[in-house]
Amino acid sequence: QVQLVESGGGLVQAGGSLRLSCTASGRVFSRSAMGWYRQGPGKQRELVATITSGGSTNYADSAKGRFTISRDNAKNTVLLQMNSLKPEDTAVYYCNAMFMGIRSWGQGTQVTVSS
């Protein structure tokens, strides 16, 4: 199982930017599909963006054009650059790794966007 630690959350005004970082332990990071999910107040956890081991990306409609997911296999890190943030982006953001059918989650990082 991959151990994941997120960082970079915080409080930002609407229209601002944040960059979330997720660092993974272990030797399988480069072969893992990675993703960011979020869970807003009173809502179910939802997909934000994913990136395959080969670098192909996928975004939720709410994230397209504003968020960018990327990975640095040399640093075992996956990033989520979030621009033009909106109050509805307020949520706990979770990093996710999938390898050989095993899914791992980080502890989450809070993002709060004020209007």
Side-chain angles (χ1 to χ4, degrees), residues 20 34-40 44-51 57-69 79-82 85 88-89 91-96 105:
L20 305 184
M34 302 298 297
W36 286 96
Y37 290 71
R38 68 186 183 186
Q39 187 165 13
Q44 291 186 332
R45 192 172 297 190
E46 63 179 4
L47 170 72
V48 177
T50 61
I51 185 166
T57 58
N58 181 58
Y59 295 91
D61 287 344
S62 59
K64 288 178 181 177
R66 299 188 300 128
F67 295 1
T68 302
I69 188 170
L79 303 175
L80 184 68
Q81 178 66 43
M82 304 187 294
L85 283 162
E88 50 264 43
D89 294 318
V92 178
Y93 284 70
Y94 296 92
C95 181
N96 170 266
W105 294 95

Side-chain angles (χ1 to χ4, degrees), residues 1-6 21-26 28-37 47-59 69-73 75-80 94-99 102-106:
Q1 193 171 9
V2 178
Q3 304 297 319
L4 303 170
V5 179
E6 303 103 331
S21 178
C22 172
T23 301
S25 65
V28 300
F29 177 83
S30 64
R31 291 176 286 163
S32 299
M34 302 298 297
W36 286 96
Y37 290 71
L47 170 72
V48 177
T50 61
I51 185 166
T52 68
S53 58
S56 297
T57 58
N58 181 58
Y59 295 91
I69 188 170
S70 62
R71 65 190 298 160
D72 185 340
N73 289 337
K75 297 181 178 180
N76 276 19
T77 299
V78 60
L79 303 175
L80 184 68
Y94 296 92
C95 181
N96 170 266
M98 174 70 83
F99 177 72
I102 298 174
R103 188 180 295 274
S104 302
W105 294 95

Side-chain angles (χ1 to χ4, degrees), residues 6 8-11 18 20 39-41 82 89-94 107-113:
E6 303 103 331
L11 174 65
L18 282 176
L20 305 184
Q39 187 165 13
M82 304 187 294
D89 294 318
T90 294
V92 178
Y93 284 70
Y94 296 92
Q107 82 287 351
T109 185
Q110 177 71 46
V111 171
T112 302
V113 184

